[in-house]
Structure formats: structure tokens, C-alpha cells
């Protein structure tokens, strides 16, 4: 297991390095001059050249990449072209909003999807099982921003029960206000995520319900609940854990849409602002942190799969990834 962890850690670092290089190149291919972020309209060629020297965009690309990579190794994400503030602390301040939003939505989605997906599979021949399956299919097709606007219209504008957007200036100094501000965004993300998760939970449960080992356990005298608990739960959990990792990573990356709808000062909003202002350090910093988070989530999901499935653990010693 130790060798496997070392291999996976090396793979994670290599993937992060490759993603950083690809990100650096793609940003340089975008139209527009990042020096313009420092200048007003109508700047002279001399001012533009001076701005390029200031931010280092006049240097060869390899030298720019090496300098940025060296800073990244020191956990230095650079300085914003626009605000002239370090990007790292700014990202940390935005994560105070994005991380709780993502985790709360993920937990709520799992709480919804697991029982609903199980019932949809267990009673797939009943009307309510078919109804749950149909609702989950409909939920997958509905965009997150549409659900967000619908919730704002109903609960914020008409019923006036929850705020339509924004976040307290003092962040989590008053947890009640902060949680109230995140209520509608969390529900929006959770509804979209749970619709997809219900489908996977239903599929995994149907596979278990039709398995020979579950029928054998029932034939030997086990109750349905006992057979599912002893034999079905772990087997159904293996594919679901993998999907949970993907959904968590997707939610983290997709927070930009929901944060825009609810005007939350999170990582997604920071990325949109950076793109609009051609602020390369901000864009690079946000995307590198997001990429690292996605890789870590995938690593954790893979590790959990191996812990709950003995067949995967047996392959570790055989040299498989």
C-alpha cells in the first residue's frame, strides 16, 4: 500500500505540473495584452512597453514560465496586475465562501440521492419508483442557473424568507447570517448534483439487487435488510464512491455559475473578474488551486475505493495503478 501511495502522489504532482504548463500556454494564446490591465484607455506605446517590463510579459515565454513555476514551488501565486495584492491570500479569502458552499451542497445532495436512488431501484416496478426516476432525469436536464433564479424568485422575492444574494462582509463572524446567505446557493447546487447522483445510486442498487450473492444470502435465511447490509452495501458503494469524487470536483469547478447568480464573493467570481481584466496571475492562481483540488479529490476517492473493495487492494501488490 505504501508503494501505491508513493506512485499516486508522484502521479498527482506530475499531473499538476502538466496542468500548470498547459494553463500557462493557453493563457498566452488568448487575445489581448495583459499590460492593458495596468493602463487606462489611450496609453502611449512607451507606457505599454513600460507596463510589459513591469509585469515581465516582455520576457521569453520559457523564462516567464520558469519564474512562475519557481514561485509556485514556494507557494507564491504572484501579484495581481489590477489590485497589486498577492494572489494567494486573496484566493484564501475567497475559499472561505467557495469551500463551505461546495461541501454543504455535496452533503445535502448525498443525503437526498442515497435514499431516493435506493427507493427508485428497490421499487422500480411501482409508480413512485418510476416517478423518482423520471424526476431525476428531468433534474439532469435543467441548468443550475435556472434553478437558482427560480429559487430566488420564490423564496427571496415573493416569500421574502431568504436573501437573494450576497455574503456578510465579516464572513463567518456571524455563522447564522453566513449560513442564511448560502441557503439558496446550497440548495441550487444540491438539487442539480442529486439528480445525477440518484441515477448512479439507482443503477448500482439495481446491479446488487439482481446479483447471485444477494439471492444466495436470502435463500440461506437472511432478511432483505440483513443481506443488503452485509453483502450489498459495500458492493454498491464502490462505483458510487467514484462518482461522488467526480461530482464533488465538478461542483467545486462549477461554483462559478451559482456564485454569479447569487453574487457570492467566491473563487468562481474571482475567476470571472480576472478573465474580464486579463489579470493573468489571478486566472493562473485560481485555476491552479482548482486543479489541485480536483486532483486531490480524485486521489481521495480512489483511495476510499481501495479501502472498501478487497479486489482493488489485491491489485496494489501486483503493480497496477
Amino acid at each position: 500500500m505504501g508503494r501505491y501511495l508513493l506512485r499516486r502522489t508522484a502521479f498527482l504532482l506530475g499531473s499538476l505540473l502538466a496542468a500548470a504548463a498547459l494553463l500557462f500556454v493557453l493563457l498566452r494564446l488568448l487575445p489581448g495584452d495583459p499590460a492593458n490591465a495596468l493602463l487606462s484607455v489611450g496609453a502611449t506605446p512607451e507606457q505599454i512597453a513600460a507596463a510589459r517590463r513591469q509585469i515581465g510579459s516582455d520576457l521569453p515565454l520559457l523564462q516567464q514560465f520558469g519564474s512562475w513555476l519557481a514561485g509556485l514551488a514556494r507557494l507564491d501565486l504572484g501579484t495581481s496586475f489590477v489590485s497589486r495584492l498577492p494572489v494567494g491570500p486573496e484566493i484564501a479569502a475567497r475559499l472561505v465562501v467557495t469551500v463551505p458552499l461546495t461541501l454543504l451542497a455535496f452533503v445535502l445532495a448525498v443525503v437526498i440521492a442515497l435514499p431516493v436512488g435506493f427507493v427508485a431501484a428497490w421499487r422500480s416496478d411501482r409508480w413512485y419508483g418510476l416517478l423518482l426516476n423520471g424526476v431525476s432525469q428531468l433534474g439532469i436536464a435543467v441548468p443550475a442557473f435556472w434553478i437558482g433564479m427560480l429559487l430566488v424568485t420564490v423564496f427571496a422575492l415573493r416569500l421574502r424568507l431568504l436573501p437573494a444574494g450576497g455574503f456578510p462582509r465579516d464572513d463567518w463572524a456571524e455563522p447564522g447570517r453566513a449560513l442564511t446567505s448560502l441557503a439558496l446557493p446550497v440548495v441550487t447546487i444540491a438539487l442539480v448534483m442529486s439528480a445525477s447522483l440518484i441515477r448512479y445510486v439507482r443503477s448500482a442498487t439495481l446491479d446488487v439487487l439482481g446479483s447471485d450473492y444477494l439471492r444466495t444470502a436470502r435463500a440461506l435465511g437472511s432478511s432483505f435488510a440483513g443481506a443488503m447490509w452485509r453483502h450489498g452495501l459495500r458492493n454498491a458503494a464502490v462505483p458510487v464512491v467514484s462518482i461522488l469524487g467526480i461530482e464533488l470536483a465538478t461542483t467545486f469547478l462549477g461554483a462559478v455559475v451559482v456564485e454569479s447568480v447569487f453574487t457570492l464573493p467566491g473563487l468562481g467570481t474571482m475567476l470571472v473578474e480576472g478573465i474580464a481584466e486579463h489579470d493573468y496571475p489571478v486566472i493562473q492562481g485560481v485555476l491552479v488551486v482548482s486543479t489541485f483540488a480536483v486532483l486531490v479529490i480524485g486521489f481521495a476517492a480512489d483511495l476510499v475505493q481501495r479501502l472498501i473493495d478487497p479486489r482493488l487492494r489485491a491489485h496494489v501488490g501486483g503493480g497496477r495503478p
Side-chain angles (χ1 to χ4, degrees), residues 32-312:
D33 191 338
N36 292 332
L38 303 178
L39 304 170
S40 58
V41 178
T44 65
E46 291 77 13
Q47 291 174 324
I48 295 176
R52 287 172 178 166
R53 287 193 299 271
Q54 180 180 344
I55 64 177
S57 62
D58 61 330
L59 299 173
L61 283 180
L62 283 178
Q63 188 173 345
Q64 292 183 47
F65 179 67
S67 176
W68 178 61
L69 204 60
L72 195 61
R74 301 190 303 270
L75 302 181
D76 179 9
L77 298 175
T79 302
S80 169
F81 292 164
V82 178
S83 67
R84 308 294 179 87
L85 296 175
V87 174
E90 179 66 17
I91 288 178
R94 300 297 186 106
L95 286 174
V96 170
V97 177
T98 300
V99 171
L101 170 65
T102 302
L103 293 180
L104 289 172
F106 176 74
V107 171
L108 180 58
V110 171
V111 169
I112 295 172
L114 291 182
V116 173
F118 176 79
V119 172
W122 183 33
R123 291 291 185 255
S124 59
D125 56 341
R126 303 291 180 87
W127 67 267
Y128 51 88
L130 296 174
L131 177 64
L132 292 175
N133 186 39
V135 170
S136 68
Q137 290 181 345
L138 179 63
I140 294 173
V142 177
F145 72 87
W146 189 86
I147 294 179
M149 290 189 293
L150 180 63
L151 292 177
V152 167
T153 301
V154 174
F155 292 99
L157 300 182
R158 293 190 178 180
L159 300 180
R160 299 185 182 277
L161 295 176
L162 295 168
F167 197 75
R169 289 182 176 272
D170 52 1
D171 293 331
W172 291 89
E174 297 182 45
R177 287 184 58 206
L179 288 173
T180 302
S181 300
L182 291 180
L184 290 181
V186 165
V187 172
T188 300
I189 296 175
L191 289 177
V192 175
M193 186 192 301
S194 62
S196 176
L197 286 176
I198 287 170
R199 300 284 296 159
Y200 290 110
V201 173
R202 179 180 180 274
S203 177
T205 305
L206 285 174
D207 289 341
V208 169
L209 291 176
S211 63
D212 292 335
Y213 57 82
L214 192 69
R215 284 195 292 267
T216 302
R218 294 296 306 279
L220 293 176
S222 295
S223 64
F224 174 77
M228 283 295 297
W229 179 259
R230 287 193 170 196
H231 307 286
L233 184 61
R234 177 173 292 189
N235 287 281
V238 174
V240 172
V241 166
S242 177
I243 297 302
L244 287 177
I246 295 173
E247 289 291 335
L248 179 57
T250 303
T251 301
F252 185 82
L253 294 176
V256 56
V257 176
V258 174
E259 288 178 0
S260 298
V261 171
F262 292 96
T263 60
L264 294 174
L267 209 60
T269 305
M270 184 179 180
L271 177 61
V272 172
E273 294 170 353
I275 293 173
E277 296 167 343
H278 285 85
D279 198 341
Y280 282 4
V282 168
I283 300 172
Q284 291 173 164
V286 172
L287 292 181
V288 165
V289 169
S290 301
T291 302
F292 180 73
V294 170
L295 291 173
V296 169
I297 291 170
F299 174 81
D302 188 59
L303 185 61
V304 172
Q305 277 187 300
R306 291 179 181 272
L307 290 176
I308 64 178
D309 192 345
R311 296 169 298 181
L312 295 177

Side-chain angles (χ1 to χ4, degrees), residues 25-37:
V25 172
L26 290 178
L27 280 179
R28 268 61 188 178
L29 295 178
L30 292 177
D33 191 338
N36 292 332

